[in-house]
Amino acid sequence: HDDAASPTSAFSSDIVEVVGDFCRAAKAAGFVVALAPAESYLDAASSAFNLRLDNAPLAPWEAGEGGFPDAFPYAGRNAYAAILARAGAESVDLVSVQLYEGYSRACHAVTREGADVADYAVSLAARLTAGFDVDGLGRVSLPREKLALGFANGWADGEKFVRVEPEAAAAAAVAADLRGVMFWVIDEEGEPYAFSKRYSEEVRRLEEGEL
């Protein structure tokens, strides 16, 4: 939304504490704990940090490029890094970084710079698992076996929202040795897109060496 004064335009320190502590308590109670931050909310390419959710994207978008407007105040600055720091990576089973965030780094890299999706995934996974420094929080890292990436399915326009076909998503998951991927949203599954089905079939072929 566009209301900068709204409490939902930022995480409060109380929210960080509640979510982090909930992750620890849920894990201790035997539950599976998953987080799904937008790419800018857990940005291994930047040390910048604040809890606002109405920042400009850090990718070098220019006005008019891919429909990019004069202003787009909808990005985070590693807000989920604060949650991970509070909870501890040991309290989380899965973190799915959502590359389909509007005007994300991934979108710019793939649609503007011509990056290969698998290469981008390998680089991103390496940074997240090696760890990266976040201002005021220290070093944040995530074990590879807990990392997934989130892709859009049939609705993505390939400009504001990066569109990755399931075969390319499968190649990225295998190349980066990810826990897996997720697709948003379930309403767009089934024919004619069938992203999840096509992804699963492609992963099986890749892992069995059929290609």
Side-chain angles (χ1 to χ4, degrees):
H1 56 70
D2 297 312
D3 182 4
S6 169
T8 57
S9 291
F11 284 3
S12 67
S13 58
D14 287 343
I15 288 175
V16 171
E17 292 178 7
V18 166
V19 176
D21 292 350
F22 180 87
C23 289
R24 289 205 305 266
K27 182 66 174 177
F31 290 94
V32 174
V33 179
L35 298 173
E39 187 176 19
S40 67
Y41 292 19
L42 188 63
D43 185 0
S46 173
S47 63
F49 172 71
N50 66 54
L51 295 177
R52 300 291 307 178
L53 308 179
D54 54 1
N55 303 281
L58 288 176
W61 291 96
E62 297 181 3
E65 185 179 42
F68 190 73
D70 291 336
F72 189 77
Y74 304 107
R77 287 289 187 274
N78 277 316
Y80 266 72
I83 292 173
L84 274 177
R86 175 80 180 189
E90 68 279 1
S91 297
V92 178
D93 296 285
L94 179 70
V95 176
S96 181
V97 180
Q98 309 304 293
L99 303 186
Y100 59 81
E101 175 187 19
Y103 295 119
S104 65
R105 284 190 186 277
C107 187
H108 192 277
V110 173
T111 67
R112 302 290 108 190
E113 302 169 36
D116 177 76
V117 175
D119 290 343
Y120 189 87
V122 168
S123 176
L124 175 59
R127 291 196 301 268
L128 285 167
T129 55
F132 63 105
D133 293 324
V134 179
D135 296 343
L137 297 176
R139 199 156 186 83
V140 176
S141 64
L142 186 70
R144 185 73 59 111
E145 65 271 15
K146 297 185 177 185
L147 176 61
L149 295 179
F151 296 101
N153 42 22
W155 59 269
D157 59 10
E159 290 193 348
K160 179 179 179 180
F161 305 101
V162 63
R163 181 175 175 128
V164 177
E165 295 300 318
E167 292 76 15
V174 172
D177 193 25
L178 301 174
R179 175 74 177 271
V181 308
M182 63 149 286
F183 294 104
W184 181 269
V185 55
I186 197 168
D187 286 349
E188 297 287 345
E189 282 302 327
E191 299 300 335
Y193 304 117
F195 270 50
S196 294
K197 178 183 177 182
R198 289 163 56 195
Y199 167 82
S200 298
E201 291 174 348
E202 186 72 3
V203 167
R204 179 186 61 79
R205 286 196 292 268
L206 289 170
E207 291 181 341
E208 293 178 359
E210 293 183 13
L211 297 178

